[in-house]
Amino acid sequence: MSERVAVRKTYKLFIGGKFPRSESGRSYLVQSSNVSLASRKDARDAVVAARAAVKGWAGATAYNRGQILYRAAEMLEGRREQFVALGVPGDEVDAAVDRWVWYAGWADKLSQVYGGANPVAGPYFNLSAPEPTGVVAVVAPERPALLGLVSVIAPAIVTGNTVVVAASPTEPLAAVTLAEVLATSDLPGGVVNILTGRITETAPTLAAHMDVNAIDLTGVTDADLAADLEVKAAENLKRVLRPAPADHDWSADPGVTRMTTLLETKTVWHPKGV
Amino acid sequence: MTATTTSARSELSELGRSETALRTFLHGLPGVDQVGAEQRAAQLGTRSIKTTAKAQAIDLAIRMVDLTTLEGADTPGKVRALAAKALRPDPADPSCPHVGAVCVYPAMVPHVAEVLRGSGVHLASVATAFPSGQAPLEIKLADTRAAVAAGADEIDMVINRGAFLAGRYKEVYDEIVATKEAAGDAHLKVILETGELATYDNVRRASWLAMLAGGDFIKTSTGKVPVAATPPVTLVMLEAVRDFRAATGRQVGVKPAGGIKNTKDAIKYLVMVNETVGTDWLDPDWFRFGASSLLNDLLMQRTKLTTGTYSGPDYFTLD
Amino acid sequence: MFEYAPAPESRSVVDLKASYGLFIDGEFVDPADGGSFKSINPASEEVLAEVSEAGTQDVERAVRAARKAYEKVWGPMPGRDRAKYLFRIARLIQERSRELAVLESLDNGKPIKESRDVDLPLVAAHFFYYAGWADKLEHAGFGANPRPIGVAAQVIPWNFPLLMLAWKIAPALAAGNTVVLKPAETTPLTALLFAEICQQAELPAGVVNIITGAGDTGRTLVEHPGVDKVAFTGSTDVGRAIARSVAGTRKKLTLELGGKAANIVFDDAPIDQAVEGIVNGIFFNQGHVCCAGSRLLVQENVADRVLESLKRRMAQLRVGDPLDKNTDIGAINSAAQLERIRELSDAGSAEGAERWSPPCELPDRGFWFAPTIFTGVTQAHRIAREEIFGPVLSVLTFRTPAEAVEKANNTPYGLSAGIWTDKGSRILWMADRLRAGVVWANTFNKFDPTSPFGGYKESGYGREGGRHGLEGYLNV
């Protein structure tokens, strides 16, 4: 009796809730699979998709965003074995699920911790509340491929931003599989867009893009490239998260900085009188 | 009519003489809180209308349909077929009532009139340079007269939204008065195009303006802009006709048009009429649906109630 | 012309047992002395189930189970894991929401549209919200390492049985406490179904204990020396008695008590929405709401117009079978409560206020009271001062904003208030001066897990909901 021939999976990009191949028609061999090699045009398409998703996602209630993120954690837990088969250690998958749950809970709490009434000296109501900045470009850490990725995506989107993520070029399969998790989690298309390929190709396009509001350089390991991207980002004054130190401990409590850096604070004044 | 409403009516009829008086009156109407109005409309949408109530509602809704086609591609053959459907919506079931009216462009009126003559189904024509209303007044009035002359007994006019949004209320008022006069005995439905008015405060003001100027019906939409009839817009208009009757004694009809696709939606509107203005308006003379695809869904649901099985679109005529 | 046919929600989704034990240490157990009482459907007076009455020994057993679970399991457990149990509970409530809603309406008498569209979504959301706090307490503003208190004794009322349970249990568990909760004797059934949900969630035994009974059971529980925290929602009189009983102990106390809220309508209000708000303010949940807008303060120059609209709107209210999806006002929860509403309403008439109700047929069996308003009420009338806790509105007038504030505050209570005006600055001016824990502007009776709720003065102390809701369950 012959052994069953397995059906192999095609690893593609994740843009606007769909899984297209690179418009360039290119792929590269990594982790024993052909993975889409995203072009500059793919990066621009992803920004368009992310921008289109901002209104709905930022406008959703915090409760709703929390529910959807929690749903993503449920789906991630359900695919645990799939990640393990890709070589992600089991305890890294567990940590990624827990991190996702931790961020999900922030959706309807961050503005309570990071906003509030200001006692101005006058007959005015004065309230500060955070709002998402908009479209965030993210260079994900090369590894840990899953925990690192989750740790940069979740804090950006939980507050209502949308993201274009350049995934780990050396271990992209976890990213594409995470895209499949997100695609089945009630997350609106375009909130998370994932590009696989060379950072040197996609990141400069994203850093220079005038319709991107912030850039997270966490995964950029080359200091010169990081500086160059930051210079490009300065053109429209993108908010910048600088690269993580090489010895960054991804299992540690991440704190709230990743969320707050990607927020704007809006303060409202209103007189009080009869 | 009481003495108070008579005097209120004559006071209100004076408003149209001055831009300032109209503005002062319209801006003095109580505001509409958007969130509250939308919640109330949504709440009314949760009523559960079943069995006998549903059967009754479906037949009423069929009688209230203004079966409409307003396409550049309309032809005599197309509108005659539509008129035939208006007379006998379900040829298989003689107990099925006819619709309220057929609504077409002025050029199509003669072809529909032939079919409807003597049937009791009204013939409505859009006029006044529908849908934008962006034409000189003489042309809009000529448009109206032509439609009536060709046999329309209801005229669906559009208000001048440009003038309204610019605050030239008297201009809007005068156009409605002139159109009413041009329409003669035909019933005048005034389309507010609420999708372009943007706020419920504006919807309330435009409703009052149309009623003060003599409109017999106020209608939400042309169906030609992205936002057509919605439940909260219709709620605000129903509140306006209710308050207008309380103030003047004159009853004005309401017609939501566009976007009402199925029986469930139609029943929500009937519930809203029932609980906002009461049974006086639950009549085709006072409430209409401007719709086309709605009718087939009403027919399918009607068949479901009588036969117990769901029907499909293949079993109803496409006209 | 257009009569709505009956549209009853199916009862078959609820699987009622003939009798229920006490939920102690993860299991349903019989009470030590075998006492029991019946829970009835207030809309029909039919017996729904026989429920155990917890005595002293049962309370002892429940507190001991809670203590053990606190020390061995729940207290030491990382917040991350407590969160996961609470998320599970939230999900199970969402999954079983219709069953819970129908049972709530059966046992309480509230309309299914409210239990389905208000109570249950809020219950699930409350667990969801506090689940998210369990692993981030250090960010809540109560210090770097906030600690739980221990065993919480929680006594809740019959007006929102499951919602009040959620308001009590979710923050307590998130903060790391264990609980012994006593639901009201007329509405114990959804709490017992919640106990089954705790089992289904595999919540460690003893973390949640539910004991049923009446006032004596509640008193024994809050006075038990093994209790570290007492949380009570109910009448001001009982709240006062509890405050006395915990005096001199180390028990932390939060109280959410009665109210006599003013709903203030100015002449520039969005009238149609204000009328909806007045109706919602007093007739929501048959007026069995501690924050109900039971005093309408309407500016004198629009009083006639507002009242005319209000009466017209009230005539549309549908009173009857709580399980009918079109019912707006259900049954009064108990014969005793009906008696109290009648007594105060009669006092209103006797003191000279003018009483009005729309024509409305009430069922023969069960406990019913037609929606009622009193006009010509003054501050001196009993119906303007005492909490009626029923569908009865007292209407007063005012001339100026200052007078509205003065009348609104002229009560020993201070739970909530409403303001209706199109003018934003006036809303904020009024809100500054109203002595009430929740102020609704151009809306009323809105609740959200993120929003703190609680009263000033004799409406109690402490807040439930939001970040503030954690404080009552942390050693701060």
Side-chain angles (χ1 to χ4, degrees), chain B residues 128-129 136-147 174-183:
Chain B
T128 69
L137 180 60
E138 310 85 78
I139 291 172
K140 295 200 245 186
L141 297 179
D143 196 20
T144 306
R145 286 189 204 102
D174 289 343
E175 280 192 22
I176 299 171
V177 170
T179 311
K180 171 79 180 161
E181 197 186 323

mmCIF file with all atom_site columns, all heavy atoms in Angstrom, chain B residues 128-129 136-147 174-183:
data_model
loop_
_atom_site.group_PDB
_atom_site.id
_atom_site.type_symbol
_atom_site.label_atom_id
_atom_site.label_alt_id
_atom_site.label_comp_id
_atom_site.label_asym_id
_atom_site.label_entity_id
_atom_site.label_seq_id
_atom_site.pdbx_PDB_ins_code
_atom_site.Cartn_x
_atom_site.Cartn_y
_atom_site.Cartn_z
_atom_site.occupancy
_atom_site.B_iso_or_equiv
_atom_site.pdbx_formal_charge
_atom_site.auth_seq_id
_atom_site.auth_comp_id
_atom_site.auth_asym_id
_atom_site.auth_atom_id
_atom_site.pdbx_PDB_model_num
ATOM 1   N N   . THR B 1 128 ? -40.603 68.302 -10.960 1.00 0.00 ? 128 THR B N   1
ATOM 2   C CA  . THR B 1 128 ? -39.704 69.368 -10.509 1.00 0.00 ? 128 THR B CA  1
ATOM 3   C C   . THR B 1 128 ? -38.237 68.999 -10.668 1.00 0.00 ? 128 THR B C   1
ATOM 4   O O   . THR B 1 128 ? -37.443 69.145 -9.757  1.00 0.00 ? 128 THR B O   1
ATOM 5   C CB  . THR B 1 128 ? -39.965 69.789 -9.042  1.00 0.00 ? 128 THR B CB  1
ATOM 6   O OG1 . THR B 1 128 ? -39.574 68.736 -8.163  1.00 0.00 ? 128 THR B OG1 1
ATOM 7   C CG2 . THR B 1 128 ? -41.405 70.152 -8.787  1.00 0.00 ? 128 THR B CG2 1
ATOM 8   N N   . ALA B 1 129 ? -37.910 68.536 -11.878 1.00 0.00 ? 129 ALA B N   1
ATOM 9   C CA  . ALA B 1 129 ? -36.521 68.197 -12.209 1.00 0.00 ? 129 ALA B CA  1
ATOM 10  C C   . ALA B 1 129 ? -35.936 67.174 -11.245 1.00 0.00 ? 129 ALA B C   1
ATOM 11  O O   . ALA B 1 129 ? -34.819 67.308 -10.756 1.00 0.00 ? 129 ALA B O   1
ATOM 12  C CB  . ALA B 1 129 ? -35.641 69.450 -12.277 1.00 0.00 ? 129 ALA B CB  1
ATOM 13  N N   . PRO B 1 136 ? -34.409 75.697 -13.501 1.00 0.00 ? 136 PRO B N   1
ATOM 14  C CA  . PRO B 1 136 ? -35.168 76.920 -13.215 1.00 0.00 ? 136 PRO B CA  1
ATOM 15  C C   . PRO B 1 136 ? -36.597 76.588 -12.784 1.00 0.00 ? 136 PRO B C   1
ATOM 16  O O   . PRO B 1 136 ? -37.178 75.590 -13.225 1.00 0.00 ? 136 PRO B O   1
ATOM 17  C CB  . PRO B 1 136 ? -35.161 77.665 -14.561 1.00 0.00 ? 136 PRO B CB  1
ATOM 18  C CG  . PRO B 1 136 ? -33.978 77.118 -15.288 1.00 0.00 ? 136 PRO B CG  1
ATOM 19  C CD  . PRO B 1 136 ? -33.842 75.690 -14.857 1.00 0.00 ? 136 PRO B CD  1
ATOM 20  N N   . LEU B 1 137 ? -37.163 77.446 -11.950 1.00 0.00 ? 137 LEU B N   1
ATOM 21  C CA  . LEU B 1 137 ? -38.493 77.190 -11.386 1.00 0.00 ? 137 LEU B CA  1
ATOM 22  C C   . LEU B 1 137 ? -39.543 76.974 -12.478 1.00 0.00 ? 137 LEU B C   1
ATOM 23  O O   . LEU B 1 137 ? -40.375 76.076 -12.371 1.00 0.00 ? 137 LEU B O   1
ATOM 24  C CB  . LEU B 1 137 ? -38.894 78.353 -10.460 1.00 0.00 ? 137 LEU B CB  1
ATOM 25  C CG  . LEU B 1 137 ? -40.264 78.218 -9.793  1.00 0.00 ? 137 LEU B CG  1
ATOM 26  C CD1 . LEU B 1 137 ? -40.345 76.960 -8.920  1.00 0.00 ? 137 LEU B CD1 1
ATOM 27  C CD2 . LEU B 1 137 ? -40.582 79.457 -8.954  1.00 0.00 ? 137 LEU B CD2 1
ATOM 28  N N   . GLU B 1 138 ? -39.484 77.778 -13.545 1.00 0.00 ? 138 GLU B N   1
ATOM 29  C CA  . GLU B 1 138 ? -40.518 77.648 -14.605 1.00 0.00 ? 138 GLU B CA  1
ATOM 30  C C   . GLU B 1 138 ? -40.500 76.235 -15.170 1.00 0.00 ? 138 GLU B C   1
ATOM 31  O O   . GLU B 1 138 ? -41.549 75.668 -15.478 1.00 0.00 ? 138 GLU B O   1
ATOM 32  C CB  . GLU B 1 138 ? -40.296 78.630 -15.762 1.00 0.00 ? 138 GLU B CB  1
ATOM 33  C CG  . GLU B 1 138 ? -40.069 80.083 -15.384 1.00 0.00 ? 138 GLU B CG  1
ATOM 34  C CD  . GLU B 1 138 ? -38.611 80.341 -15.055 1.00 0.00 ? 138 GLU B CD  1
ATOM 35  O OE1 . GLU B 1 138 ? -37.801 80.452 -15.978 1.00 0.00 ? 138 GLU B OE1 1
ATOM 36  O OE2 . GLU B 1 138 ? -38.261 80.389 -13.845 1.00 0.00 ? 138 GLU B OE2 1
ATOM 37  N N   . ILE B 1 139 ? -39.303 75.695 -15.318 1.00 0.00 ? 139 ILE B N   1
ATOM 38  C CA  . ILE B 1 139 ? -39.199 74.356 -15.892 1.00 0.00 ? 139 ILE B CA  1
ATOM 39  C C   . ILE B 1 139 ? -39.758 73.328 -14.922 1.00 0.00 ? 139 ILE B C   1
ATOM 40  O O   . ILE B 1 139 ? -40.476 72.395 -15.290 1.00 0.00 ? 139 ILE B O   1
ATOM 41  C CB  . ILE B 1 139 ? -37.740 74.062 -16.274 1.00 0.00 ? 139 ILE B CB  1
ATOM 42  C CG1 . ILE B 1 139 ? -37.365 74.956 -17.458 1.00 0.00 ? 139 ILE B CG1 1
ATOM 43  C CG2 . ILE B 1 139 ? -37.537 72.588 -16.601 1.00 0.00 ? 139 ILE B CG2 1
ATOM 44  C CD1 . ILE B 1 139 ? -35.923 74.932 -17.846 1.00 0.00 ? 139 ILE B CD1 1
ATOM 45  N N   . LYS B 1 140 ? -39.491 73.523 -13.629 1.00 0.00 ? 140 LYS B N   1
ATOM 46  C CA  . LYS B 1 140 ? -40.005 72.573 -12.622 1.00 0.00 ? 140 LYS B CA  1
ATOM 47  C C   . LYS B 1 140 ? -41.532 72.609 -12.583 1.00 0.00 ? 140 LYS B C   1
ATOM 48  O O   . LYS B 1 140 ? -42.199 71.577 -12.462 1.00 0.00 ? 140 LYS B O   1
ATOM 49  C CB  . LYS B 1 140 ? -39.441 72.936 -11.243 1.00 0.00 ? 140 LYS B CB  1
ATOM 50  C CG  . LYS B 1 140 ? -37.922 72.782 -11.148 1.00 0.00 ? 140 LYS B CG  1
ATOM 51  C CD  . LYS B 1 140 ? -37.467 72.658 -9.705  1.00 0.00 ? 140 LYS B CD  1
ATOM 52  C CE  . LYS B 1 140 ? -36.622 73.843 -9.308  1.00 0.00 ? 140 LYS B CE  1
ATOM 53  N NZ  . LYS B 1 140 ? -36.033 73.685 -7.957  1.00 0.00 ? 140 LYS B NZ  1
ATOM 54  N N   . LEU B 1 141 ? -42.085 73.828 -12.724 1.00 0.00 ? 141 LEU B N   1
ATOM 55  C CA  . LEU B 1 141 ? -43.544 73.937 -12.683 1.00 0.00 ? 141 LEU B CA  1
ATOM 56  C C   . LEU B 1 141 ? -44.154 73.341 -13.958 1.00 0.00 ? 141 LEU B C   1
ATOM 57  O O   . LEU B 1 141 ? -45.188 72.665 -13.896 1.00 0.00 ? 141 LEU B O   1
ATOM 58  C CB  . LEU B 1 141 ? -43.956 75.401 -12.513 1.00 0.00 ? 141 LEU B CB  1
ATOM 59  C CG  . LEU B 1 141 ? -43.495 76.041 -11.197 1.00 0.00 ? 141 LEU B CG  1
ATOM 60  C CD1 . LEU B 1 141 ? -43.927 77.503 -11.123 1.00 0.00 ? 141 LEU B CD1 1
ATOM 61  C CD2 . LEU B 1 141 ? -44.041 75.278 -9.996  1.00 0.00 ? 141 LEU B CD2 1
ATOM 62  N N   . ALA B 1 142 ? -43.482 73.576 -15.080 1.00 0.00 ? 142 ALA B N   1
ATOM 63  C CA  . ALA B 1 142 ? -43.982 72.998 -16.337 1.00 0.00 ? 142 ALA B CA  1
ATOM 64  C C   . ALA B 1 142 ? -43.953 71.478 -16.265 1.00 0.00 ? 142 ALA B C   1
ATOM 65  O O   . ALA B 1 142 ? -44.883 70.790 -16.709 1.00 0.00 ? 142 ALA B O   1
ATOM 66  C CB  . ALA B 1 142 ? -43.143 73.498 -17.507 1.00 0.00 ? 142 ALA B CB  1
ATOM 67  N N   . ASP B 1 143 ? -42.905 70.959 -15.678 1.00 0.00 ? 143 ASP B N   1
ATOM 68  C CA  . ASP B 1 143 ? -42.744 69.519 -15.464 1.00 0.00 ? 143 ASP B CA  1
ATOM 69  C C   . ASP B 1 143 ? -43.949 68.982 -14.675 1.00 0.00 ? 143 ASP B C   1
ATOM 70  O O   . ASP B 1 143 ? -44.568 67.965 -15.026 1.00 0.00 ? 143 ASP B O   1
ATOM 71  C CB  . ASP B 1 143 ? -41.436 69.340 -14.662 1.00 0.00 ? 143 ASP B CB  1
ATOM 72  C CG  . ASP B 1 143 ? -40.903 67.920 -14.664 1.00 0.00 ? 143 ASP B CG  1
ATOM 73  O OD1 . ASP B 1 143 ? -41.276 67.132 -15.550 1.00 0.00 ? 143 ASP B OD1 1
ATOM 74  O OD2 . ASP B 1 143 ? -40.090 67.602 -13.757 1.00 0.00 ? 143 ASP B OD2 1
ATOM 75  N N   . THR B 1 144 ? -44.320 69.722 -13.634 1.00 0.00 ? 144 THR B N   1
ATOM 76  C CA  . THR B 1 144 ? -45.435 69.331 -12.778 1.00 0.00 ? 144 THR B CA  1
ATOM 77  C C   . THR B 1 144 ? -46.755 69.356 -13.547 1.00 0.00 ? 144 THR B C   1
ATOM 78  O O   . THR B 1 144 ? -47.537 68.395 -13.512 1.00 0.00 ? 144 THR B O   1
ATOM 79  C CB  . THR B 1 144 ? -45.524 70.299 -11.573 1.00 0.00 ? 144 THR B CB  1
ATOM 80  O OG1 . THR B 1 144 ? -44.255 70.340 -10.927 1.00 0.00 ? 144 THR B OG1 1
ATOM 81  C CG2 . THR B 1 144 ? -46.596 69.862 -10.595 1.00 0.00 ? 144 THR B CG2 1
ATOM 82  N N   . ARG B 1 145 ? -46.985 70.459 -14.244 1.00 0.00 ? 145 ARG B N   1
ATOM 83  C CA  . ARG B 1 145 ? -48.255 70.594 -14.998 1.00 0.00 ? 145 ARG B CA  1
ATOM 84  C C   . ARG B 1 145 ? -48.377 69.492 -16.046 1.00 0.00 ? 145 ARG B C   1
ATOM 85  O O   . ARG B 1 145 ? -49.445 68.914 -16.233 1.00 0.00 ? 145 ARG B O   1
ATOM 86  C CB  . ARG B 1 145 ? -48.315 71.963 -15.681 1.00 0.00 ? 145 ARG B CB  1
ATOM 87  C CG  . ARG B 1 145 ? -48.585 73.085 -14.688 1.00 0.00 ? 145 ARG B CG  1
ATOM 88  C CD  . ARG B 1 145 ? -48.851 74.421 -15.409 1.00 0.00 ? 145 ARG B CD  1
ATOM 89  N NE  . ARG B 1 145 ? -48.551 75.511 -14.505 1.00 0.00 ? 145 ARG B NE  1
ATOM 90  C CZ  . ARG B 1 145 ? -47.438 76.247 -14.534 1.00 0.00 ? 145 ARG B CZ  1
ATOM 91  N NH1 . ARG B 1 145 ? -46.519 76.015 -15.469 1.00 0.00 ? 145 ARG B NH1 1
ATOM 92  N NH2 . ARG B 1 145 ? -47.247 77.189 -13.656 1.00 0.00 ? 145 ARG B NH2 1
ATOM 93  N N   . ALA B 1 146 ? -47.266 69.197 -16.697 1.00 0.00 ? 146 ALA B N   1
ATOM 94  C CA  . ALA B 1 146 ? -47.302 68.172 -17.747 1.00 0.00 ? 146 ALA B CA  1
ATOM 95  C C   . ALA B 1 146 ? -47.672 66.818 -17.166 1.00 0.00 ? 146 ALA B C   1
ATOM 96  O O   . ALA B 1 146 ? -48.463 66.064 -17.745 1.00 0.00 ? 146 ALA B O   1
ATOM 97  C CB  . ALA B 1 146 ? -45.943 68.100 -18.443 1.00 0.00 ? 146 ALA B CB  1
ATOM 98  N N   . ALA B 1 147 ? -47.120 66.511 -16.000 1.00 0.00 ? 147 ALA B N   1
ATOM 99  C CA  . ALA B 1 147 ? -47.401 65.215 -15.383 1.00 0.00 ? 147 ALA B CA  1
ATOM 100 C C   . ALA B 1 147 ? -48.872 65.107 -15.002 1.00 0.00 ? 147 ALA B C   1
ATOM 101 O O   . ALA B 1 147 ? -49.512 64.074 -15.224 1.00 0.00 ? 147 ALA B O   1
ATOM 102 C CB  . ALA B 1 147 ? -46.513 65.032 -14.144 1.00 0.00 ? 147 ALA B CB  1
ATOM 103 N N   . ASP B 1 174 ? -41.534 78.985 -1.057  1.00 0.00 ? 174 ASP B N   1
ATOM 104 C CA  . ASP B 1 174 ? -42.247 79.524 -2.216  1.00 0.00 ? 174 ASP B CA  1
ATOM 105 C C   . ASP B 1 174 ? -42.318 78.507 -3.357  1.00 0.00 ? 174 ASP B C   1
ATOM 106 O O   . ASP B 1 174 ? -43.330 78.399 -4.047  1.00 0.00 ? 174 ASP B O   1
ATOM 107 C CB  . ASP B 1 174 ? -41.561 80.808 -2.702  1.00 0.00 ? 174 ASP B CB  1
ATOM 108 C CG  . ASP B 1 174 ? -41.769 81.972 -1.724  1.00 0.00 ? 174 ASP B CG  1
ATOM 109 O OD1 . ASP B 1 174 ? -42.683 81.866 -0.868  1.00 0.00 ? 174 ASP B OD1 1
ATOM 110 O OD2 . ASP B 1 174 ? -41.015 82.962 -1.802  1.00 0.00 ? 174 ASP B OD2 1
ATOM 111 N N   . GLU B 1 175 ? -41.244 77.735 -3.512  1.00 0.00 ? 175 GLU B N   1
ATOM 112 C CA  . GLU B 1 175 ? -41.257 76.721 -4.581  1.00 0.00 ? 175 GLU B CA  1
ATOM 113 C C   . GLU B 1 175 ? -42.305 75.645 -4.317  1.00 0.00 ? 175 GLU B C   1
ATOM 114 O O   . GLU B 1 175 ? -42.970 75.172 -5.225  1.00 0.00 ? 175 GLU B O   1
ATOM 115 C CB  . GLU B 1 175 ? -39.872 76.057 -4.720  1.00 0.00 ? 175 GLU B CB  1
ATOM 116 C CG  . GLU B 1 175 ? -38.889 76.892 -5.504  1.00 0.00 ? 175 GLU B CG  1
ATOM 117 C CD  . GLU B 1 175 ? -37.629 76.119 -5.882  1.00 0.00 ? 175 GLU B CD  1
ATOM 118 O OE1 . GLU B 1 175 ? -37.672 74.867 -5.920  1.00 0.00 ? 175 GLU B OE1 1
ATOM 119 O OE2 . GLU B 1 175 ? -36.599 76.782 -6.111  1.00 0.00 ? 175 GLU B OE2 1
ATOM 120 N N   . ILE B 1 176 ? -42.432 75.288 -3.050  1.00 0.00 ? 176 ILE B N   1
ATOM 121 C CA  . ILE B 1 176 ? -43.437 74.252 -2.724  1.00 0.00 ? 176 ILE B CA  1
ATOM 122 C C   . ILE B 1 176 ? -44.838 74.813 -2.957  1.00 0.00 ? 176 ILE B C   1
ATOM 123 O O   . ILE B 1 176 ? -45.704 74.149 -3.549  1.00 0.00 ? 176 ILE B O   1
ATOM 124 C CB  . ILE B 1 176 ? -43.282 73.765 -1.263  1.00 0.00 ? 176 ILE B CB  1
ATOM 125 C CG1 . ILE B 1 176 ? -41.891 73.153 -1.061  1.00 0.00 ? 176 ILE B CG1 1
ATOM 126 C CG2 . ILE B 1 176 ? -44.364 72.755 -0.912  1.00 0.00 ? 176 ILE B CG2 1
ATOM 127 C CD1 . ILE B 1 176 ? -41.542 72.845 0.397   1.00 0.00 ? 176 ILE B CD1 1
ATOM 128 N N   . VAL B 1 177 ? -45.039 76.058 -2.532  1.00 0.00 ? 177 VAL B N   1
ATOM 129 C CA  . VAL B 1 177 ? -46.346 76.688 -2.731  1.00 0.00 ? 177 VAL B CA  1
ATOM 130 C C   . VAL B 1 177 ? -46.678 76.740 -4.230  1.00 0.00 ? 177 VAL B C   1
ATOM 131 O O   . VAL B 1 177 ? -47.783 76.379 -4.652  1.00 0.00 ? 177 VAL B O   1
ATOM 132 C CB  . VAL B 1 177 ? -46.359 78.110 -2.114  1.00 0.00 ? 177 VAL B CB  1
ATOM 133 C CG1 . VAL B 1 177 ? -47.629 78.857 -2.534  1.00 0.00 ? 177 VAL B CG1 1
ATOM 134 C CG2 . VAL B 1 177 ? -46.255 78.031 -0.603  1.00 0.00 ? 177 VAL B CG2 1
ATOM 135 N N   . ALA B 1 178 ? -45.688 77.130 -5.018  1.00 0.00 ? 178 ALA B N   1
ATOM 136 C CA  . ALA B 1 178 ? -45.920 77.241 -6.467  1.00 0.00 ? 178 ALA B CA  1
ATOM 137 C C   . ALA B 1 178 ? -46.194 75.869 -7.086  1.00 0.00 ? 178 ALA B C   1
ATOM 138 O O   . ALA B 1 178 ? -47.054 75.722 -7.968  1.00 0.00 ? 178 ALA B O   1
ATOM 139 C CB  . ALA B 1 178 ? -44.714 77.892 -7.126  1.00 0.00 ? 178 ALA B CB  1
ATOM 140 N N   . THR B 1 179 ? -45.470 74.859 -6.601  1.00 0.00 ? 179 THR B N   1
ATOM 141 C CA  . THR B 1 179 ? -45.675 73.516 -7.154  1.00 0.00 ? 179 THR B CA  1
ATOM 142 C C   . THR B 1 179 ? -47.045 72.982 -6.769  1.00 0.00 ? 179 THR B C   1
ATOM 143 O O   . THR B 1 179 ? -47.736 72.342 -7.569  1.00 0.00 ? 179 THR B O   1
ATOM 144 C CB  . THR B 1 179 ? -44.563 72.568 -6.662  1.00 0.00 ? 179 THR B CB  1
ATOM 145 O OG1 . THR B 1 179 ? -43.304 73.182 -6.861  1.00 0.00 ? 179 THR B OG1 1
ATOM 146 C CG2 . THR B 1 179 ? -44.610 71.236 -7.376  1.00 0.00 ? 179 THR B CG2 1
ATOM 147 N N   . LYS B 1 180 ? -47.431 73.274 -5.540  1.00 0.00 ? 180 LYS B N   1
ATOM 148 C CA  . LYS B 1 180 ? -48.755 72.852 -5.071  1.00 0.00 ? 180 LYS B CA  1
ATOM 149 C C   . LYS B 1 180 ? -49.835 73.447 -5.992  1.00 0.00 ? 180 LYS B C   1
ATOM 150 O O   . LYS B 1 180 ? -50.780 72.771 -6.384  1.00 0.00 ? 180 LYS B O   1
ATOM 151 C CB  . LYS B 1 180 ? -48.937 73.328 -3.623  1.00 0.00 ? 180 LYS B CB  1
ATOM 152 C CG  . LYS B 1 180 ? -50.332 73.164 -3.038  1.00 0.00 ? 180 LYS B CG  1
ATOM 153 C CD  . LYS B 1 180 ? -50.603 71.743 -2.591  1.00 0.00 ? 180 LYS B CD  1
ATOM 154 C CE  . LYS B 1 180 ? -52.018 71.618 -2.015  1.00 0.00 ? 180 LYS B CE  1
ATOM 155 N NZ  . LYS B 1 180 ? -52.466 70.223 -1.993  1.00 0.00 ? 180 LYS B NZ  1
ATOM 156 N N   . GLU B 1 181 ? -49.639 74.699 -6.329  1.00 0.00 ? 181 GLU B N   1
ATOM 157 C CA  . GLU B 1 181 ? -50.603 75.369 -7.185  1.00 0.00 ? 181 GLU B CA  1
ATOM 158 C C   . GLU B 1 181 ? -50.585 74.738 -8.579  1.00 0.00 ? 181 GLU B C   1
ATOM 159 O O   . GLU B 1 181 ? -51.638 74.453 -9.155  1.00 0.00 ? 181 GLU B O   1
ATOM 160 C CB  . GLU B 1 181 ? -50.237 76.845 -7.263  1.00 0.00 ? 181 GLU B CB  1
ATOM 161 C CG  . GLU B 1 181 ? -51.375 77.707 -7.789  1.00 0.00 ? 181 GLU B CG  1
ATOM 162 C CD  . GLU B 1 181 ? -50.883 79.150 -7.980  1.00 0.00 ? 181 GLU B CD  1
ATOM 163 O OE1 . GLU B 1 181 ? -50.077 79.621 -7.155  1.00 0.00 ? 181 GLU B OE1 1
ATOM 164 O OE2 . GLU B 1 181 ? -51.296 79.773 -8.973  1.00 0.00 ? 181 GLU B OE2 1
ATOM 165 N N   . ALA B 1 182 ? -49.399 74.485 -9.087  1.00 0.00 ? 182 ALA B N   1
ATOM 166 C CA  . ALA B 1 182 ? -49.280 73.876 -10.412 1.00 0.00 ? 182 ALA B CA  1
ATOM 167 C C   . ALA B 1 182 ? -49.877 72.473 -10.447 1.00 0.00 ? 182 ALA B C   1
ATOM 168 O O   . ALA B 1 182 ? -50.404 72.021 -11.460 1.00 0.00 ? 182 ALA B O   1
ATOM 169 C CB  . ALA B 1 182 ? -47.817 73.822 -10.839 1.00 0.00 ? 182 ALA B CB  1
ATOM 170 N N   . ALA B 1 183 ? -49.811 71.789 -9.308  1.00 0.00 ? 183 ALA B N   1
ATOM 171 C CA  . ALA B 1 183 ? -50.309 70.408 -9.250  1.00 0.00 ? 183 ALA B CA  1
ATOM 172 C C   . ALA B 1 183 ? -51.828 70.351 -9.202  1.00 0.00 ? 183 ALA B C   1
ATOM 173 O O   . ALA B 1 183 ? -52.424 69.300 -9.439  1.00 0.00 ? 183 ALA B O   1
ATOM 174 C CB  . ALA B 1 183 ? -49.724 69.693 -8.032  1.00 0.00 ? 183 ALA B CB  1
#
